[in-house]
Amino acid sequence: MSAPRTQPIALECHHSTPGSVSTPTWHRLRDALLALIDSLGNNRKRPCRLPAEREMIARFSTTRITLRDALTQLEGEGRIYRENRRGWFIAPSRLHYDLLAGLAFHDMVESQQRQASTLLLSASTVPAPLHIARRLWLSEGSAVQRIVRVRAIDGRRVLYVEHHLRPDCFPGILDFDLAQHSLTALYRHEYSIRIARVDYELGSTIFGGPAGEALHATPGTAAQRITRINRDQNGRVVDCDDEYWRHDAIELALSAVPRGG
Amino acid sequence: MSAPRTQPIALECHHSTPGSVSTPTWHRLRDALLALIDSLGNNRKRPCRLPAEREMIARFSTTRITLRDALTQLEGEGRIYRENRRGWFIAPSRLHYDLLAGLAFHDMVESQQRQASTLLLSASTVPAPLHIARRLWLSEGSAVQRIVRVRAIDGRRVLYVEHHLRPDCFPGILDFDLAQHSLTALYRHEYSIRIARVDYELGSTIFGGPAGEALHATPGTAAQRITRINRDQNGRVVDCDDEYWRHDAIELALSAVPRGG
DNA sequence: GCAGTTTTCTGATCTAGACCAACTGGCCAT
DNA sequence: ATGGCCAGTTGGTCTAGATCAGAAAACTGC
């Protein structure tokens, strides 16, 4: 605990110029919260929780809704995040995710001096839904292997992934320890399949349903969707992923030669 | 105007199973709003506005805050968007943005049967801020050409871009009609410079400041940031962009060979 | 017509709570 | 040590407004 001050703090009202419009309360609150965040320090290893909402209300002499506006603002900026019904936390710095580096999750995370962990939610053979069947060049309802995992950085759950594999490519892959092994490593070493081309599709959405629950994300918070379709050295589609990231957890990067060059 | 019904509508309360938890009001409201959106039709050419908030409150017999929760939800999903103090609108379908296609904005938009337009906000030579100087391999404060534009699809402002160019690469480029010409076309035809490599950096943020104002975006709404650094055929950095998109306006895509292959 | 002005409408912001369900932590029994 | 139970805490959800400032529409005068 750092300097516990229970004294209410009056929000300063800065006017950039005397005649200008006054800053909205939530904006001043936002700055006050930033100061609070700084004062709490940002040691990455342990999730650093903000005080309870009602305590912050008292401390800043404001209402729940205004406080929430300010918190939501900072959440959108990626400075803080929220765990459903558990509170607000200071967001660690973003993971640098190079889409074309071809690194497995654990390698990527550990190369940035962070600790990675994976939780296997399910691994089974299921009938392919239409959109999955289309991606994998299969007919709707034909069998596909489905692997659902949750991945965490320094203990914080940041990614929910669903993989769908063509079963003719990877017979028996579900029997491996999928929480420990990288899928691409298994592809290469057990099936001699290398990922030679990737098609990405990126879009923003919100959490809700299984992805939100698995990450303890409050329904409605921003999510980064990353869909990828992998092809092997023969150009054959072998699997696809649907990734849902906490939006504040990553920063995407890539370097390539554009076609119109 | 479609079927104008001023009768309040009772939100149905569906319980999936008798013993289960009831769906929150905002979630049922969300579904009702989706139905409303469908009933309004989604003709792409004209921005289709939802009724005023107070009217929707009356129609659905709810409160402002609950309505806003539902609207915010749909906004996050990209189904609707908001113009600051102007109302809520049905979101057109997303523009498919292939990061590596090397297409200029107008070509990209028109190839998808949409109409593109560009507004030039400013074009001048300014001292380079530190982060720009670093990207362009210049020293802080040295002169760079700065071009700020707003781009619209079918009349809807969706993108705010700031370009910073190395002045030694493009002398006199600010004298061209920058609202009509594609920068990359000018590079190629007037300066014989082709973009041979692009470094992208993608992240989610929120609107605020000049970008938000230029797009009429309410401060705090989600934005997709795309930063790119362009190199010419000799590997020399020639310029960089900072793009801020309305998050619901685009879907990013790319296809490439990963390095770890 | 057209430009400047006024009015109206509308979303943005804020107040002051209440109630509920999920989560947490402590206590107790096995 | 482990697991279940209980109560307090806390965030999620919702009610019922008020006020303000920007945007759009209506209006006015040249």
Side-chain angles (χ1 to χ4, degrees), chain A residues 210-225:
Chain A
E213 281 172 30
L215 298 184
H216 303 312
T218 305
T221 50
Q224 175 73 52
R225 181 180 57 78

Side-chain angles (χ1 to χ4, degrees), chain A residues 24-26 28 54 62-66 84-86:
Chain A
T25 303
W26 63 258
R28 280 176 284 127
R54 286 170 179 82
T62 183
T63 49
R64 195 89 178 280
I65 292 189
T66 304
N84 199 9
R85 291 180 182 278
R86 224 161 302 191

Side-chain angles (χ1 to χ4, degrees), chain A residues 1-6 35-43 48-51 55 59 90:
Chain A
M1 282 296 142
S2 64
R5 45 177 171 177
T6 46
L36 173 62
I37 290 170
D38 283 341
S39 78
L40 288 178
N42 194 355
N43 46 352
C48 187
R49 186 167 173 281
L50 265 56
E55 188 183 324
R59 188 180 297 190
I90 297 178

Side-chain angles (χ1 to χ4, degrees), chain B residues 165-183:
Chain B
L165 328 192
R166 279 191 68 121
D168 53 335
C169 295
F170 310 107
I173 198 172
L174 299 184
D175 298 328
F176 288 96
D177 181 351
L178 298 170
Q180 293 306 318
H181 293 96
S182 139
L183 275 185

